[in-house]
Amino acid sequence: MLNDEICKLRDKLNESILNGKDYDTIYSISIELDELIAKFYREKIR
């Protein structure tokens, strides 16, 4: 489930980059994606 969220957010980030969205939007999505990935690995270690 968390993996699905990561994939959706990664797609959203890629789409934002390809469509030339502003830096703040891309940065915000990137931070959110980083947090989800960190959460995924924290749960995997347990």
Side-chain angles (χ1 to χ4, degrees):
M1 292 185 225
L2 193 54
N3 192 34
D4 292 337
E5 289 180 53
I6 290 170
C7 289
K8 287 178 187 176
L9 199 55
R10 185 181 59 219
D11 290 342
K12 183 178 178 181
L13 176 61
N14 289 337
E15 183 179 317
S16 296
I17 292 168
L18 290 173
N19 291 329
K21 297 283 184 175
D22 64 287
Y23 176 80
D24 290 335
T25 300
I26 293 170
Y27 183 74
S28 176
I29 296 169
S30 179
I31 293 296
E32 189 177 347
L33 180 58
D34 287 348
E35 290 170 356
L36 277 179
I37 292 169
K39 183 178 180 182
F40 174 82
Y41 281 110
R42 280 194 303 271
E43 290 180 7
K44 191 171 182 148
I45 291 172
R46 290 185 192 162

